[in-house]
Amino acid sequence: MEAPTHSTVHLSDWQKSYFAITSGTCTPGQKADEYRAKILRIQYAWANSEISQVCAASLFKKYAEKYSAIIDSDNIETGLNNYAENILTLAKCQQNDSDKWQSALTTDNVFELKCVQERMRAGKNFQSSQMAPTDACVLADKGVSASATPGLPKLSIFSSAGETELCAGSAKCASQGADLLEHPSSSKSLQSSVPPVTKTSDTLPASSASLNEQVHAGFRATPLFGSKEATSISSLKMSGTCRDGKNLSLSDQSAVPSWSASSGKRKAFYGLVDEGSTVIPSLATCQASISTEASSFSGTRNRNEESSVPGFRTAKEQLWVEQQKKSQNLPQRAPVSSYGSVKKSLGAGRSRGPFGKFVPPVPKQDGNENGGAQCKPHARGPMDPSLPVDERLKNIEPKMVELIMHEIMDHGPPVNWDDIAGVEFAKATIKEIVVWPMLRPDIFTGLRGPPKGILLFGPPGTGKTLIGKCIACQSGATFFSISASSLTSKWVGEGEKMVRTLFAVARCQQPAVIFIDEIDSLLSQRGDGEHESSRRIKTEFLVQLDGATTSSEDRILVVGATNRPQEIDEAARRRLVKRLYIPLPEASARKQIVTRLMSKEHCSLNEEEIELIVKKSNGFSGADMTQLCREASLGPIRSLQSMDIATIMPDQVRPIAFLDFESAFRTVRPSVSSKDLELYETWNQTFGCGR
Ligand SMILES: Nc1ncnc2c1ncn2[C@@H]1O[C@H](COP(=O)(O)OP(=O)(O)OP(=O)(O)O)[C@@H](O)[C@H]1O
Ligand SMILES: [Mg+2]
């Protein structure tokens, strides 16, 4: 007889399985298996070029649909997706979302394993004959207390009262549990079988991974045998594991929600841990080994210090805890938050750039060495009764001070003078006004005293904000960076106070620079249609600016930046003595920008090509030049085939070439019109302080 060929074998298999599926005797599982096998065969046949791609695709679609119809169907007779039922059964005791979750698992559901049944019986006997659940808990905790060793998580994490009951009656069980304990890998079995034995910590698996598992089990696992109280107490014990015995932080018992356990039971537990005190574990004292799971728990704990019950809380419970917290913390909070709690310092404590040493800016009046820095509040908080509060801040709301402190800029990438291309005159002037007087305050006195107000004006994108950042990095002064729009809009109705606070805090933190971007929106011409609140802000600002600029003692410099100088109120203009024009970059500056940016990239431009780019970019602002370079740098990527982008190595991308700049010039245009430029030039000639 002729041996069947490869393809005839496939065909006969195919037919066989087709009849099996359609026979009506298959279970859904068998059907699903058959369909899956069919799908594999289709793929196989296609891979061997036995069938065409079109045919494979249509067959694949057909059988994939049939397969998923069985897999996804939750019809008991025809589908396999019935596992949801079990979940629903488990959760059926939960009537709504805010109910405490209670498992519907009962011992009846447990698969009958002989040893399990024995243990359950032993537990039941023991429960009925000897021990109330609360006592069981106490016993478990005693075990923990006895074995407490700093630095190690304790056994009580996973010893629920139920488990105690289960195992306490069986000596055999206890010894088995002890065996299990010595094997870190057996943490799963521990959850169900560990007895409340006293176990020295060196035999405990201390790996954080296993601990996490245990922690998890400790406060999520539904007690198979225990009541709600048992779970809560178990949780309390769990929190006890975050300590080393001594480091327990204690708080008022009233802070423990009433739902956590009956007070009697709590007492029994607390009494063991620390005589007569309620235990609220401080998570700061938790061992680092309690990592992922436990630390997320500790996060919650930090937020809800009063709560002694970890894990899930219903909204009602959370509300209760938060209310408690509020009522307890309210009196202390304001002073703390007023200074001490903010992340940013008031400036005195931070690094002060190249001229790092802090120079006491205010004459020493009270023998305090820090002079003006006596309000270095970040260290302890000025509202700390033990610290003298700076006179200048006395009438100012602490909340405002805090808000202003957030405006202190002491982060961000450093900017050097060299990063700003061109504008040499402006740079030199600023150095003269800002840097040198900081360096030699003894020389810059009297008539040589530096001006207290600078206005940087010019077309958009010419580096005014960049100069502000550079001053922040290079001056060594406390740098407040406030956008005028935030003064006018962020604190609606409070703007006036904010301005006052700003100057008061700056006065405390001398030497200080207040940089106000978009200053035109704060100091625009006063007019009839003006809103009352912005008028008041402006007036307050002028008053403060006047104070700062006229007081020879204060070392506060106000730097404003605007691209609409013509809109600035004349009174403000007068106070911003040095009005520096920041024009469009000249050819040399444009070249500097291109060279600097291209030096960081893989680029094949030669000197002549750079010159050409500079020539073609006449009328571009610094921002336009940056945009041009960005656009050009995308050229080599655009020239790749889309397939290559996925696989190409970075060093295989071709260098940026002149042709990329040529195409970039087609899309990037100067953003400042010559008409606008004329306005700036005219204003500069009228009010500017440049040469
Ligand atoms: N002189 C310059 N040197 C180097 N880069 C510059 C210069 N001017 C502008 N740039 C580039 O343009 C970007 C925008 O500059 P910046 O924000 O300082 O402009 P601006 O003058 O404050 O503009 P606007 O008036 O619109 O606020 C900078 O981040 C920088 O990349
Ligand atoms: Mg700007």
Side-chain angles (χ1 to χ4, degrees):
M1 201 178 116
E2 202 182 315
T5 63
H6 192 65
S7 55
T8 53
V9 171
H10 278 306
L11 194 59
S12 69
D13 280 354
W14 189 274
Q15 284 166 342
K16 237 192 287 172
S17 75
Y18 179 77
F19 285 124
I21 296 173
T22 50
S23 66
T25 55
C26 273
T27 63
Q30 286 166 331
K31 273 191 187 171
D33 285 346
E34 280 302 335
Y35 284 132
R36 198 169 47 221
K38 275 201 184 337
I39 289 169
L40 283 175
R41 270 179 227 135
I42 294 163
Q43 285 171 332
Y44 187 80
W46 175 61
N48 285 320
S49 307
E50 290 166 18
I51 53 175
S52 71
Q53 188 173 358
V54 181
C55 173
S58 83
L59 282 172
F60 184 86
K61 183 169 178 287
K62 182 176 163 191
Y63 284 100
E65 276 169 7
K66 284 174 185 273
Y67 178 59
S68 66
I70 294 179
I71 291 292
D72 296 338
S73 163
D74 56 4
N75 182 324
I76 288 184
E77 272 151 29
T78 58
L80 289 176
N81 191 16
N82 302 319
Y83 50 77
E85 278 231 325
N86 297 334
I87 301 295
L88 293 175
T89 315
L90 287 179
K92 73 183 176 197
C93 291
Q94 191 184 15
Q95 281 148 8
N96 57 45
D97 282 348
S98 59
D99 266 5
K100 249 191 172 22
W101 190 82
Q102 220 183 340
S103 171
L105 256 188
T106 64
T107 51
D108 308 332
N109 295 348
V110 179
F111 187 67
E112 287 202 13
L113 268 178
K114 208 174 150 217
C115 68
V116 175
Q117 297 299 319
E118 262 174 30
R119 288 180 191 197
M120 286 196 304
R121 267 196 298 281
K124 272 182 191 154
N125 291 343
F126 191 76
Q127 183 188 19
S128 54
S129 65
Q130 292 193 25
M131 207 183 253
T134 315
D135 299 333
C137 168
V138 170
L139 185 64
D141 211 65
K142 257 181 186 159
V144 172
S145 317
S147 68
T149 304
L152 270 175
K154 309 304 181 299
L155 191 56
S156 64
I157 294 170
F158 41 84
S159 68
S160 76
E163 287 154 358
T164 311
E165 291 155 29
L166 173 67
C167 299
S170 161
K172 187 176 153 223
C173 176
S175 66
Q176 281 170 355
D179 287 346
L180 283 168
L181 266 177
E182 284 168 20
H183 301 286
S185 59
S186 58
S187 64
K188 275 216 170 84
S189 14
L190 281 173
Q191 290 169 23
S192 60
S193 62
V194 72
V197 286
T198 302
K199 197 68 196 164
T200 51
S201 51
D202 52 359
T203 58
L204 276 171
S207 92
S208 64
S210 61
L211 176 64
N212 288 343
E213 242 182 284
Q214 293 153 5
V215 171
H216 192 90
F219 58 97
R220 297 256 179 91
T222 311
L224 277 175
F225 310 98
S227 59
K228 263 188 196 172
E229 284 88 20
T231 317
S232 303
I233 292 165
S234 172
S235 306
L236 284 167
K237 285 184 288 175
M238 149 67 206
S239 50
T241 64
C242 289
R243 69 191 197 274
D244 59 11
K246 286 174 240 147
N247 287 347
L248 282 169
S249 96
L250 309 175
S251 76
D252 195 339
Q253 187 164 358
S254 64
V256 179
S258 55
W259 42 268
S260 67
S262 73
S263 66
K265 285 173 188 171
R266 271 205 311 270
K267 255 187 195 149
F269 166 67
Y270 296 136
L272 276 168
V273 183
D274 196 290
E275 278 289 291
S277 316
T278 317
V279 181
I280 305 298
S282 150
L283 280 142
T285 65
C286 280
Q287 294 303 319
S289 62
I290 303 181
S291 55
T292 337
E293 190 75 39
S295 63
S296 66
F297 158 59
S298 63
T300 322
R301 177 60 55 89
N302 280 337
R303 271 178 264 119
N304 307 286
E305 277 162 16
E306 292 79 1
S307 164
S308 63
V309 180
F312 175 74
R313 272 194 200 118
T314 64
K316 199 169 75 184
E317 288 157 358
Q318 183 64 37
L319 186 69
W320 189 93
V321 170
E322 263 156 27
Q323 275 172 351
Q324 287 287 316
K325 192 173 165 186
K326 268 188 201 148
S327 62
Q328 284 182 6
N329 284 355
L330 217 53
Q332 309 108 21
R333 218 171 220 188
V336 173
S337 65
S338 62
Y339 287 96
S341 65
V342 291
K343 267 193 245 147
K344 289 178 183 177
S345 73
L346 261 172
R350 69 193 172 87
S351 147
R352 290 175 168 272
F355 316 105
K357 201 159 180 293
F358 181 81
V359 188
V362 172
K364 298 165 200 164
Q365 291 153 349
D366 53 3
N368 178 351
E369 268 218 270
N370 284 331
Q374 61 176 310
C375 63
K376 260 192 193 168
H378 54 287
R380 289 170 69 190
M383 299 304 166
D384 184 338
S386 63
L387 271 183
V389 177
D390 194 288
E391 280 290 318
R392 293 163 290 196
L393 292 178
K394 261 190 176 156
N395 298 324
I396 292 174
E397 283 176 36
K399 193 172 170 296
M400 293 274 169
V401 177
E402 191 181 323
L403 281 171
I404 284 296
M405 286 188 324
H406 283 286
E407 303 293 326
I408 296 177
M409 206 172 92
D410 53 3
H411 293 301
V415 180
N416 290 310
W417 291 111
D418 290 345
D419 294 336
I420 305 162
V423 284
E424 296 306 333
F425 176 72
K427 282 199 284 186
T429 311
I430 292 167
K431 280 184 202 168
E432 189 184 295
I433 295 170
V434 183
V435 183
W436 295 346
M438 299 282 174
L439 196 64
R440 293 301 304 270
D442 52 330
I443 299 179
F444 287 87
T445 52
L447 275 182
R448 287 201 194 107
K452 308 286 177 72
I454 300 180
L455 178 70
L456 306 174
F457 69 94
T462 47
K464 297 179 291 295
T465 305
L466 207 60
I467 292 174
K469 286 180 185 163
C470 185
I471 297 173
C473 296
Q474 307 298 325
S475 70
T478 311
F479 192 86
F480 298 81
S481 175
I482 294 209
S483 107
S485 60
S486 77
L487 273 180
T488 49
S489 63
K490 197 156 139 193
W491 303 296
V492 178
E494 307 268 36
E496 200 185 335
K497 275 193 219 164
M498 288 310 299
V499 171
R500 210 165 30 243
T501 311
L502 171 66
F503 279 86
V505 175
R507 230 164 256 135
C508 292
Q509 292 301 310
Q510 298 176 43
V513 174
I514 299 174
F515 180 72
I516 302 170
D517 219 348
E518 311 152 45
I519 202 170
D520 51 287
S521 63
L522 182 71
L523 299 178
S524 56
Q525 309 269 357
R526 283 167 284 189
D528 291 342
E530 195 180 20
H531 199 276
E532 179 56 28
S533 67
S534 62
R535 180 193 287 270
R536 284 210 311 266
I537 293 176
K538 201 181 302 170
T539 311
E540 182 64 45
F541 193 87
L542 292 176
V543 169
Q544 292 294 335
L545 198 59
D546 222 11
T549 48
T550 49
S551 159
S552 58
E553 277 175 12
D554 284 346
R555 296 173 63 203
I556 299 173
L557 171 69
V558 176
V559 182
T562 178
N563 51 30
R564 301 155 81 92
Q566 61 283 1
E567 290 190 9
I568 289 184
D569 186 285
E570 62 261 17
R573 197 171 59 219
R574 180 183 67 78
R575 286 163 175 87
L576 299 168
V577 193
K578 277 277 178 189
R579 296 176 287 272
L580 298 172
Y581 183 37
I582 313 294
L584 289 179
E586 294 165 355
S588 60
R590 294 199 301 276
K591 185 176 176 183
Q592 208 178 320
I593 294 175
V594 175
T595 318
R596 180 173 283 270
L597 290 176
M598 285 300 124
S599 67
K600 296 175 198 156
E601 307 292 328
H602 185 33
C603 163
S604 65
L605 289 178
N606 59 33
E607 192 61 30
E608 280 166 35
E609 288 168 336
I610 293 180
E611 289 295 343
L612 266 174
I613 294 166
V614 170
K615 213 168 157 193
K616 281 186 95 171
S617 60
N618 191 17
F620 278 44
S621 68
D624 296 336
M625 289 307 290
T626 309
Q627 184 54 29
L628 180 79
C629 293
R630 279 173 166 279
E631 197 63 30
S633 70
L634 282 171
I637 307 288
R638 287 189 184 131
S639 63
L640 288 173
Q641 297 299 317
S642 57
M643 285 296 280
D644 294 341
I645 288 183
T647 52
I648 198 163
M649 302 298 288
D651 54 358
Q652 289 173 329
V653 177
R654 74 164 172 78
I656 303 163
F658 183 66
L659 66 102
D660 299 315
F661 274 89
E662 279 184 323
S663 44
F665 272 116
R666 285 196 277 276
T667 52
V668 182
R669 301 264 148 65
S671 55
V672 185
S673 71
S674 48
K675 200 171 138 230
D676 288 345
L677 218 52
E678 268 174 38
L679 278 177
Y680 291 113
E681 300 282 352
T682 317
W683 203 88
N684 183 36
Q685 276 159 22
T686 322
F687 303 110
C689 303
R691 287 185 192 133

